[in-house]
């Protein structure tokens, strides 16, 4: 990993669910990224309570210039927490311990340590989404009844 410090913050706000089929716990109000020398923390703020049944996945897709997506995932299956990082360019998934994912009443937060963030450094672009039972339901940035476009991304400049 580069010796350059990885610091900065970025966020997005979302007015409501982007599809008509959603559960309140998958409806994103906002997503916040905070980077420090210790890694990357991602916080998902939700409209309603975190789901207690089924499978919900919250993700941030980060893309460095000229690079492939890196998915920072937070999967919740019932009460089983499964945070992970998936590198599309390498087809490699790295799992984190469940305690890296903090489930609040209406938020999900995952601290990804520098060892798993790897060489990702600013600038990169990103977007967030939530998925219920493998169906994408909300994006940030996004809009009501709009499908996600890979180019709908936000900058992380550090």
């Amino acid at each position: 990993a580069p010796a350059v410090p990885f610091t900065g913050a970025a966020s997005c706000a979302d007015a409501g669910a982007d599809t008509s089929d959603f559960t309140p716990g998958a409806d994103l109000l906002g997503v916040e990224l905070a980077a420090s020398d210790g890694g990357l923390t991602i916080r998902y703020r939700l409209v309603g309570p975190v789901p207690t049944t089924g499978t919900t996945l919250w993700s941030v897709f980060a893309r460095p210039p000229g690079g492939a997506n890196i998915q920072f995932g937070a999967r919740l299956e019932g009460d089983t927490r499964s945070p992970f990082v998936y590198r599309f360019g390498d087809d490699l998934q790295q799992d984190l311990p469940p305690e890296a994912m903090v489930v609040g009443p209406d938020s999900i937060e995952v601290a990804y340590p520098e060892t798993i963030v790897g060489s990702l450094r600013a600038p990169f672009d990103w977007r967030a989404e939530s998925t219920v039972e493998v169906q994408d339901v909300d994006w940030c940035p996004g809009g009501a009844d709009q499908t996600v476009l890979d180019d709908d991304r936000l900058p992380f400049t550090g």
Side-chain angles (χ1 to χ4, degrees):
V4 176
F6 181 38
T7 60
S11 64
C12 69
D14 191 43
D18 297 329
T19 61
S20 53
D21 298 323
F22 70 96
T23 58
D27 190 354
L28 298 169
L29 277 178
V31 180
E32 299 153 2
L33 281 63
S36 68
D37 291 338
L40 179 67
T41 299
I42 300 174
R43 184 171 185 256
Y44 303 90
R45 293 182 300 109
L46 311 170
V47 167
V50 171
T52 57
T53 61
T55 301
T56 305
L57 171 63
W58 298 271
S59 299
V60 163
F61 292 90
R63 182 177 59 194
N69 271 333
I70 301 170
Q71 179 183 10
F72 293 91
R75 181 182 301 113
L76 187 63
E77 299 172 74
D79 62 356
T80 302
R81 298 168 291 163
S82 304
F84 65 90
V85 172
Y86 183 80
R87 299 177 188 286
F88 284 84
D90 299 327
D91 195 25
L92 173 69
Q93 178 169 317
Q94 295 174 278
D95 297 322
L96 277 78
E99 54 272 9
M101 181 173 161
V102 176
V103 178
D106 57 0
S107 67
I108 300 290
E109 183 172 299
V110 181
Y112 298 92
E114 184 179 26
T115 54
I116 205 161
V117 171
S119 62
L120 179 67
R121 295 292 181 266
F124 61 86
D125 60 27
W126 66 282
R127 64 179 172 86
E129 69 180 43
S130 61
T131 305
V132 175
E133 305 297 341
V134 301
Q135 178 69 40
D136 296 339
V137 296
D138 201 11
W139 300 272
C140 196
D145 295 317
Q146 160 187 328
T147 58
V148 70
L149 301 173
D150 196 47
D151 293 333
D152 286 349
R153 290 174 171 261
L154 299 166
F156 188 102
T157 55

